[in-house]
């Protein structure tokens, strides 16, 4: 790489954002950080701005702007407030790669802004593709933008497909760790607290995605994400539980040959690959030791104990704005579960109610997507 790649990190204080900065910290000669943003973690945002000498810093919670601006007054960093400023800056010419690491639906607007500007988007925010997959991929194509997947499974599929050499993909084997409740009975899961659900066996992630992983909604979302990213039908995606999380996903070709991508579970690996593609960087992760692993295991997902996976498959098949409804209802349900207001399967109940009462839009515009999201949030809160 000749010139330094100029990076924007949307959601720099979250789990993916901090790990992206860790990769960049190891390779300061390859990258410069042009833009960072956070919703409200002003302390960490200030520290990151100083450490990486960041030009533009956006705090989305406008109430925190004045304080952060004063605190960074002795630096060269320019401070901005609000989601609109973020979209403006993302469009600017001096950014090569936009890392979409915001959590939930809030990532959609800046992701669309980056795609409209023809940027390379390293996308970790799966809710963007779940809620608005058709709109996002259409915007990407129209503006000759590129999405590089950061989600470990989709990075794996992307890497496996580099071996396709023009051959058609027949099947995707999307691996799932099974989450913290993989071996629990339905009764025990029904009584599980948020604290128990937050203990993920393999991956170090944010709270939202960790709960989604416990319900397997995360895998349902990833199924939808895979359909959009790799232009396949849901029937071509086989979800397989693989508790060791060493195989990050696989692709199968006509002759039955399967290519798998493996590594120790560490998000810095797919983040690093997206930032430096097609080059590979050292990212400080542990390496696989097959002899000490001994065996890798696989099992079918239990749709009885993890019904959200089925809801996602069904929502994608219904199409239109229905996955957007699923995503919005899930945001409300997960928050309510984290706050101890509903039970584990209360999440599924709320999703089912929102899905059955939804108004269908076959080919939703951006306006209809935002309206569906708002309307579902309102309905879900009412139903709680
Ligand atoms: Mg994943």
């Amino acid at each position: 790489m000749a010139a330094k790649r100029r990076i924007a990190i949307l959601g720099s204080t979250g789990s993916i954002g901090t790990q992206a900065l860790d990769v960049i910290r190891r390779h300061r000669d390859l990258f410069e950080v042009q833009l960072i943003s956070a919703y409200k973690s002003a302390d960490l945002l200030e520290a990151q701005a100083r450490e990486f000498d960041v030009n533009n810093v956006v705090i989305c919670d406008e109430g925190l702007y004045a304080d952060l601006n004063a605190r960074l007054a002795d630096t060269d960093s320019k401070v901005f407030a609000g989601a609109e400023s973020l979209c403006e800056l993302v469009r600017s010419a001096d950014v090569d790669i936009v890392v979409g690491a915001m959590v939930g639906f809030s990532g959609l607007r800046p992701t669309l802004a980056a795609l409209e500007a023809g940027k390379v988007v390293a996308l970790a925010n799966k809710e963007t593709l779940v809620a608005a997959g058709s709109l996002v991929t259409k915007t990407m194509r129209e503006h000759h933008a590129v999405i590089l997947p950061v989600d470990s499974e989709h990075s794996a599929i992307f890497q496996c497909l580099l071996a396709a050499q023009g051959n058609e993909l027949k099947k995707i084997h999307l691996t799932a760790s099974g989450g913290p409740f993989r071996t629990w009975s339905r009764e025990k899961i029904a009584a599980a607290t948020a604290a128990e659900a937050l203990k993920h066996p393999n991956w170090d992630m944010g709270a939202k995605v960790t709960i989604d992983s416990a319900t397997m909604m995360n895998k349902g979302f990833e199924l939808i994400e895979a359909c959009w990213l790799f232009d396949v039908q849901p029937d071509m995606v086989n979800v397989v539980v693989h508790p060791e999380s060493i195989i990050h996903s696989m692709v199968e070709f006509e002759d039955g040959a399967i290519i798998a991508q493996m590594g120790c579970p560490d998000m810095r690996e797919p983040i690093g690959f997206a930032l430096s593609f097609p080059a590979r960087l050292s990212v400080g992760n542990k390496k696989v030791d097959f002899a000490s692993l001994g065996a890798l295991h696989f099992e079918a997902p239990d749709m009885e104990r993890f019904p959200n996976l089925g809801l996602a498959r069904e929502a994608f098949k219904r199409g239109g704005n229905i996955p957007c409804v699923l995503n919005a209802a899930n945001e409300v349900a997960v928050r309510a579960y984290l706050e101890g207001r509903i039970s584990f399967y209360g999440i599924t109940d709320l999703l089912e109610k929102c899905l059955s009462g939804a108004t269908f839009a076959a080919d939703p515009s951006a306006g209809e997507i935002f309206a569906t999201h708002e309307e579902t949030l309102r309905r879900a809160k009412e139903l709680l």
Side-chain angles (χ1 to χ4, degrees), residues 218-249:
N218 183 55
K219 209 49 57 179
F221 283 170
E222 289 180 356
L223 184 150
I224 296 175
E225 193 184 0
C227 289
W228 287 117
L229 281 173
F230 305 108
D231 195 18
V232 297
Q233 292 305 309
D235 299 340
M236 285 171 65
V237 184
N238 170 45
V239 175
V240 60
V241 174
H242 164 45
E244 291 89 359
S245 297
I246 295 294
I247 297 181
H248 298 153
S249 277

Coordinates of all heavy atoms in Angstrom, one line a residue, residues 218-249:
N218 N -29.2 -13.3 16.2 CA -28.0 -12.9 15.5 C -27.7 -13.7 14.3 O -27.4 -13.2 13.2 CB -26.8 -12.9 16.5 CG -25.5 -12.5 15.9 OD1 -25.4 -11.3 15.4 ND2 -24.5 -13.3 15.9
K219 N -27.9 -15.0 14.5 CA -27.7 -15.9 13.3 C -28.8 -15.7 12.3 O -28.5 -15.8 11.1 CB -27.6 -17.4 13.8 CG -26.7 -18.3 13.0 CD -25.3 -17.7 12.7 CE -24.5 -17.4 13.9 NZ -23.2 -16.9 13.5
G220 N -30.0 -15.5 12.7 CA -31.1 -15.1 11.8 C -30.7 -13.9 11.0 O -30.9 -13.9 9.7
F221 N -30.2 -12.9 11.7 CA -29.9 -11.6 11.0 C -28.7 -11.9 10.0 O -28.7 -11.4 8.9 CB -29.4 -10.6 12.0 CG -30.6 -9.9 12.7 CD1 -30.3 -9.1 13.8 CD2 -31.9 -10.1 12.3 CE1 -31.4 -8.4 14.5 CE2 -32.9 -9.4 13.0 CZ -32.7 -8.6 14.0
E222 N -27.8 -12.8 10.4 CA -26.6 -13.0 9.6 C -27.0 -13.8 8.3 O -26.4 -13.7 7.3 CB -25.6 -13.8 10.4 CG -24.9 -12.9 11.4 CD -23.8 -13.6 12.2 OE1 -23.6 -14.8 12.0 OE2 -23.1 -12.9 13.0
L223 N -28.1 -14.6 8.5 CA -28.6 -15.3 7.3 C -29.2 -14.3 6.3 O -28.9 -14.4 5.1 CB -29.8 -16.3 7.8 CG -30.4 -17.2 6.8 CD1 -30.9 -18.4 7.5 CD2 -31.6 -16.5 6.1
I224 N -29.9 -13.3 6.8 CA -30.4 -12.3 5.9 C -29.3 -11.5 5.3 O -29.3 -11.2 4.1 CB -31.4 -11.4 6.7 CG1 -32.6 -12.2 7.2 CG2 -31.8 -10.1 5.9 CD1 -33.6 -11.4 8.1
E225 N -28.3 -11.2 6.2 CA -27.1 -10.4 5.7 C -26.4 -11.2 4.6 O -26.0 -10.6 3.6 CB -26.2 -10.2 6.9 CG -25.1 -9.3 6.8 CD -24.1 -9.3 8.0 OE1 -24.4 -10.0 9.0 OE2 -23.2 -8.5 8.0
A226 N -26.3 -12.5 4.7 CA -25.6 -13.3 3.7 C -26.4 -13.3 2.4 O -25.8 -13.2 1.3 CB -25.4 -14.8 4.2
C227 N -27.7 -13.4 2.5 CA -28.5 -13.4 1.3 C -28.3 -12.1 0.5 O -28.2 -12.1 -0.7 CB -30.0 -13.5 1.6 SG -30.4 -15.2 2.2
W228 N -28.2 -11.0 1.2 CA -28.0 -9.7 0.5 C -26.6 -9.6 0.0 O -26.4 -9.2 -1.2 CB -28.3 -8.5 1.4 CG -29.8 -8.3 1.6 CD1 -30.5 -8.4 2.8 CD2 -30.8 -8.0 0.6 NE1 -31.8 -8.2 2.6 CE2 -32.1 -8.0 1.2 CE3 -30.8 -7.8 -0.8 CZ2 -33.2 -7.7 0.6 CZ3 -31.9 -7.6 -1.5 CH2 -33.1 -7.5 -0.8
L229 N -25.6 -9.9 0.8 CA -24.2 -9.7 0.4 C -23.8 -10.6 -0.7 O -23.0 -10.2 -1.6 CB -23.3 -9.9 1.6 CG -23.2 -8.8 2.7 CD1 -22.4 -9.3 3.9 CD2 -22.5 -7.6 2.1
F230 N -24.3 -11.8 -0.7 CA -23.8 -12.8 -1.7 C -24.8 -13.2 -2.7 O -24.6 -14.1 -3.5 CB -23.2 -14.0 -0.9 CG -22.1 -13.6 0.1 CD1 -22.4 -13.7 1.4 CD2 -20.9 -13.1 -0.4 CE1 -21.4 -13.2 2.3 CE2 -20.0 -12.7 0.5 CZ -20.2 -12.8 1.9
D231 N -26.0 -12.5 -2.7 CA -27.0 -12.6 -3.7 C -27.5 -14.1 -3.8 O -27.5 -14.7 -4.8 CB -26.5 -12.1 -5.0 CG -27.7 -11.9 -6.0 OD1 -28.8 -11.8 -5.5 OD2 -27.4 -11.8 -7.2
V232 N -27.8 -14.7 -2.6 CA -28.4 -16.0 -2.6 C -29.7 -16.1 -1.9 O -30.1 -15.1 -1.2 CB -27.4 -17.0 -1.8 CG1 -26.0 -17.1 -2.5 CG2 -27.2 -16.6 -0.4
Q233 N -30.5 -17.2 -2.2 CA -31.7 -17.4 -1.5 C -31.5 -18.0 -0.1 O -30.6 -18.8 0.0 CB -32.6 -18.3 -2.4 CG -33.1 -17.6 -3.7 CD -33.8 -16.3 -3.4 OE1 -34.7 -16.2 -2.6 NE2 -33.3 -15.2 -4.1
P234 N -32.4 -17.8 0.8 CA -32.3 -18.3 2.2 C -32.1 -19.9 2.2 O -31.4 -20.4 3.0 CB -33.5 -17.9 2.9 CG -34.4 -17.2 1.9 CD -33.6 -16.9 0.7
D235 N -32.8 -20.6 1.2 CA -32.7 -22.0 1.2 C -31.2 -22.5 0.9 O -30.9 -23.7 1.1 CB -33.6 -22.6 0.1 CG -35.1 -22.2 0.4 OD1 -35.4 -21.9 1.6 OD2 -35.9 -22.3 -0.5
M236 N -30.4 -21.6 0.3 CA -29.0 -22.0 0.1 C -28.1 -21.8 1.3 O -26.9 -22.1 1.2 CB -28.5 -21.1 -1.1 CG -29.0 -21.6 -2.5 SD -28.5 -20.4 -3.7 CE -26.7 -20.5 -3.7
V237 N -28.7 -21.3 2.4 CA -27.9 -21.0 3.5 C -28.2 -22.0 4.6 O -29.3 -22.0 5.1 CB -28.1 -19.6 4.1 CG1 -27.2 -19.3 5.3 CG2 -27.9 -18.5 3.0
N238 N -27.3 -22.9 4.9 CA -27.5 -23.9 6.0 C -26.8 -23.4 7.3 O -25.6 -23.2 7.3 CB -26.8 -25.2 5.5 CG -26.7 -26.2 6.6 OD1 -27.7 -26.4 7.3 ND2 -25.6 -26.9 6.7
V239 N -27.6 -23.2 8.3 CA -27.0 -22.8 9.6 C -26.6 -24.0 10.3 O -27.4 -25.0 10.5 CB -28.0 -22.0 10.4 CG1 -27.5 -21.7 11.8 CG2 -28.4 -20.7 9.7
V240 N -25.4 -24.1 10.8 CA -24.9 -25.2 11.5 C -24.2 -24.7 12.8 O -23.4 -23.8 12.8 CB -23.9 -26.1 10.6 CG1 -22.7 -25.3 10.1 CG2 -23.5 -27.4 11.4
V241 N -24.5 -25.4 13.9 CA -23.9 -25.0 15.2 C -22.6 -25.7 15.3 O -22.4 -26.9 15.1 CB -24.9 -25.4 16.3 CG1 -24.2 -25.1 17.7 CG2 -26.2 -24.6 16.3
H242 N -21.6 -24.8 15.6 CA -20.2 -25.3 15.7 C -19.6 -24.6 17.0 O -19.2 -23.5 16.9 CB -19.5 -24.9 14.4 CG -18.0 -24.9 14.5 ND1 -17.3 -26.0 15.1 CD2 -17.0 -24.0 14.1 CE1 -16.0 -25.7 15.0 NE2 -15.8 -24.5 14.4
P243 N -19.7 -25.3 18.1 CA -19.4 -24.6 19.4 C -18.0 -24.1 19.6 O -17.9 -23.1 20.3 CB -19.7 -25.7 20.4 CG -20.3 -26.9 19.7 CD -20.1 -26.7 18.3
E244 N -17.0 -24.6 18.9 CA -15.7 -24.1 19.1 C -15.4 -22.7 18.3 O -14.4 -22.1 18.6 CB -14.7 -25.1 18.6 CG -14.6 -26.4 19.4 CD -15.6 -27.5 18.9 OE1 -16.3 -27.2 18.0 OE2 -15.6 -28.6 19.5
S245 N -16.3 -22.4 17.4 CA -16.1 -21.1 16.6 C -14.8 -21.0 16.0 O -14.2 -19.9 15.9 CB -16.4 -19.9 17.5 OG -17.7 -19.8 18.0
I246 N -14.2 -22.1 15.5 CA -12.9 -22.1 14.8 C -13.2 -21.9 13.3 O -12.5 -21.1 12.6 CB -12.1 -23.4 15.0 CG1 -11.7 -23.5 16.5 CG2 -10.9 -23.5 14.1 CD1 -10.8 -22.4 17.0
I247 N -14.2 -22.7 12.8 CA -14.6 -22.4 11.4 C -15.6 -21.3 11.4 O -16.6 -21.4 12.0 CB -15.3 -23.7 10.8 CG1 -14.2 -24.9 10.8 CG2 -15.8 -23.4 9.4 CD1 -14.8 -26.1 10.2
H248 N -15.2 -20.2 10.7 CA -16.1 -19.0 10.7 C -17.2 -19.0 9.7 O -18.1 -18.2 9.8 CB -15.2 -17.8 10.6 CG -14.2 -17.7 11.7 ND1 -13.0 -17.0 11.6 CD2 -14.3 -18.2 13.0 CE1 -12.4 -17.1 12.8 NE2 -13.1 -17.8 13.6
S249 N -17.1 -19.9 8.8 CA -18.2 -20.3 7.8 C -17.6 -21.0 6.6 O -16.3 -21.0 6.5 CB -19.0 -19.1 7.3 OG -20.0 -18.8 8.3

